[in-house]
């Protein structure tokens, strides 16, 4: 990894070269609104409640994390090919298709669900192979247009609320949260007033240890760690506190005479904490233990705050803040690519 150049974060020419990546992140709110605008009205049989719900495809685990605590029936995110043997006419299969709806495994799962007579709720671009595979009298197809799996998942969750299978998800509110993060993280804000640029500076030349206490914060932490790995080409770990504590505790004292050119050997861990207002009291204790241990071992601490709002609002706030930090980390380390578009 090259030396981190903090001056690059406020250099108009360098920022212009990274415009595609930053513009994609800034457009998250617009994509969420667009997907919500083209929703179909749920037309499942009135009062019908499935025996169980199984969801496949991109962002399936996010949807499960939001719905599982309040869904009145069993809710399963299925990461494997095909469908479980128990899925049948009494169940609902939810399909979150890939960007172009051509994933062969999802097409096969959709055909199989229709063949078994299960109700289908499919989010996919119109005229895609998955769209065609979802033909049936018990199918609701939600057209998607942006190619953004997160935006499509938020739209889909609002539909699941309409059929009384999940909490109230308001895409317009979530879009406002994404817009707020974009404004706070704008490249036109200099380092002194830009939390995302400051986060990049805090994570520079370090090995990030990313922790989120709640289920959704933990999900966001894994996405942020993915982006940080792409931004730096170095390791970034997102796991529970029981795995992070040994790493922190094994960190030795800082060596003021360490050779700064030996990057990989001299990199120290940095603890990045994703604070979610939805944390339980147990998670608060876990967080405090992590913070105290990091301080005792001279491990730098960075934090992202979810703020207020629904579960989905807080998740998007944490995710977008982390992705902006990764984007600026990539810019400061002068690496090419667009990490945000790959999430």
């Amino acid at each position: 990894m090259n030396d981190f150049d903090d001056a690059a974060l406020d250099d108009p020419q360098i920022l212009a070269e990274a415009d595609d990546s930053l513009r994609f992140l800034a457009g998250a709110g617009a994509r969420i609104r667009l997907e919500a605008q083209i929703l179909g009205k749920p037309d499942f049989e009135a009062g019908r409640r499935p025996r169980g719900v199984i969801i496949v495809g991109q962002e399936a685990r996010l949807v499960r994390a939001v719905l599982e605590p309040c869904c009145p029936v069993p809710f399963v995110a299925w990461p494997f090919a095909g469908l479980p043997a128990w899925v049948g006419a009494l169940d609902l299969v939810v399909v979150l298709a890939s960007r172009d709806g051509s994933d062969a495994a999802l097409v096969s799962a959709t055909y199989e669900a229709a063949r078994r007579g299960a109700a289908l709720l499919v989010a996919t671009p119109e005229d895609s192979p998955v769209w065609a595979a979802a033909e049936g009298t018990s199918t609701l197809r939600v057209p998607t247009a942006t190619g953004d799996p997160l935006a499509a998942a938020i739209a889909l969750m609002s539909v699941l609320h309409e059929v009384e299978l999940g909490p109230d998800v308001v895409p317009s509110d979530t879009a406002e949260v994404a817009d707020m993060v974009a404004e706070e993280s704008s490249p036109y804000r200099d380092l002194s007033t830009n939390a995302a640029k400051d986060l990049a500076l805090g994570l520079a030349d370090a090995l990030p240890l990313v922790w989120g206490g709640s289920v959704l914060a933990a999900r966001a932490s894994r996405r942020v760690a993915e982006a940080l790995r792409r931004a730096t080409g170095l390791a970034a770990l997102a796991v529970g506190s029981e795995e992070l504590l040994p790493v922190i505790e094994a960190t030795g004292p800082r060596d003021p005479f360490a050779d700064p050119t030996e990057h990989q050997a001299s990199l120290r861990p940095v603890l990045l904490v994703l604070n979610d207002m939805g944390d339980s009291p147990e998670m608060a204790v876990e967080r405090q233990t992590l913070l105290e241990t990091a301080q005792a071992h001279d491990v730098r601490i960075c934090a992202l705050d979810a703020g207020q709002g629904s579960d989905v609002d807080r998740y998007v706030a944490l995710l977008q803040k982390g992705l902006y930090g990764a984007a600026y980390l990539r810019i400061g380390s002068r690496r090419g690519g667009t990490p945000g578009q790959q999430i």
Side-chain angles (χ1 to χ4, degrees):
M1 179 178 174
N2 297 325
D3 290 332
F4 187 81
D5 180 10
D6 57 328
L9 303 183
D10 288 332
D11 187 308
Q13 181 176 349
I14 295 174
L15 291 172
E17 293 172 358
D19 183 68
D20 287 347
S21 176
L22 297 174
R23 189 179 296 274
F24 179 84
L25 290 174
R31 293 191 296 274
I32 292 170
R33 289 188 185 88
L34 179 58
E35 296 292 13
Q37 287 173 357
I38 59 178
L39 286 175
K41 183 176 177 57
D43 57 1
F44 290 134
E45 182 181 343
R48 177 181 177 184
R49 175 169 291 178
R51 175 182 60 183
V53 179
I54 181 168
I55 182 167
V56 296
Q58 292 187 317
E59 297 293 357
R61 289 187 175 90
L62 168 62
V63 177
R64 183 192 65 185
V66 174
L67 270 66
E68 194 172 42
C70 58
C71 185
V73 299
F75 197 104
V76 177
W78 188 253
F80 309 108
L83 294 173
W86 54 262
V87 173
L90 299 178
D91 303 302
L92 169 64
V93 176
V94 180
V95 181
L96 268 169
S98 57
R99 286 176 170 83
D100 60 1
S102 62
D103 185 285
L106 290 185
V107 173
S108 176
T110 304
Y111 271 123
E112 182 65 16
R115 185 187 69 80
R116 298 189 197 181
L120 266 166
L121 174 56
V122 177
T124 181
E126 293 186 80
D127 301 324
S128 70
V130 170
W131 184 278
E135 288 283 358
T137 57
S138 297
T139 296
L140 172 63
R141 291 184 289 196
V142 178
T144 61
T146 66
D148 184 344
L150 176 61
I154 292 170
L156 186 65
M157 284 187 280
S158 70
V159 174
L160 289 168
H161 169 70
E162 293 295 325
V163 294
E164 301 180 349
L165 292 175
D168 191 8
V169 174
V170 184
S172 60
D173 291 349
T174 308
E176 287 291 334
V177 170
D179 288 346
M180 180 185 67
V181 176
E183 182 179 351
E184 294 173 348
S185 308
S186 168
Y188 301 108
R189 287 195 174 203
D190 63 28
L191 184 57
S192 65
T193 61
N194 191 316
K197 292 181 180 180
D198 186 62
L199 175 63
L201 189 60
L203 297 177
D205 297 320
L207 297 175
L209 308 177
V210 192
W211 180 83
S214 69
V215 173
L216 285 170
R219 174 87 185 148
S221 74
R222 290 189 288 272
R223 292 297 197 187
V224 171
E226 290 174 17
L228 293 174
R229 287 192 290 269
R230 285 194 294 269
T232 63
L234 299 173
L237 186 62
V239 290
S241 62
E242 63 276 10
E243 287 89 5
L244 292 182
L245 282 171
V247 179
I248 296 173
E249 292 168 346
T251 303
R254 292 181 187 274
D255 181 1
F257 303 106
D259 184 352
T261 63
E262 296 179 359
H263 289 287
Q264 189 67 42
S266 62
L267 294 184
R268 291 177 61 83
V270 171
L271 178 62
L272 174 57
V273 176
L274 275 57
N275 291 318
D276 181 5
M277 296 298 293
D279 281 355
S280 66
E282 293 79 12
M283 290 297 101
V285 172
E286 196 171 334
R287 182 196 298 106
Q288 188 61 32
T289 300
L290 274 172
L291 296 178
E292 291 176 353
T293 305
Q295 291 168 350
H297 290 80
D298 198 18
V299 170
R300 186 188 311 143
I301 300 169
C302 299
L304 299 176
D305 292 325
Q308 304 294 327
S310 69
D311 287 348
V312 176
D313 295 348
R314 299 196 311 275
Y315 172 83
V316 168
L318 290 172
L319 176 64
Q320 290 299 110
K321 289 178 180 181
L323 294 185
Y324 265 107
Y328 286 122
L329 186 59
R330 183 185 289 263
I331 291 168
S333 59
R334 307 303 296 273
R335 287 168 58 88
T338 54
Q341 295 187 27
Q342 300 173 36
I343 293 295

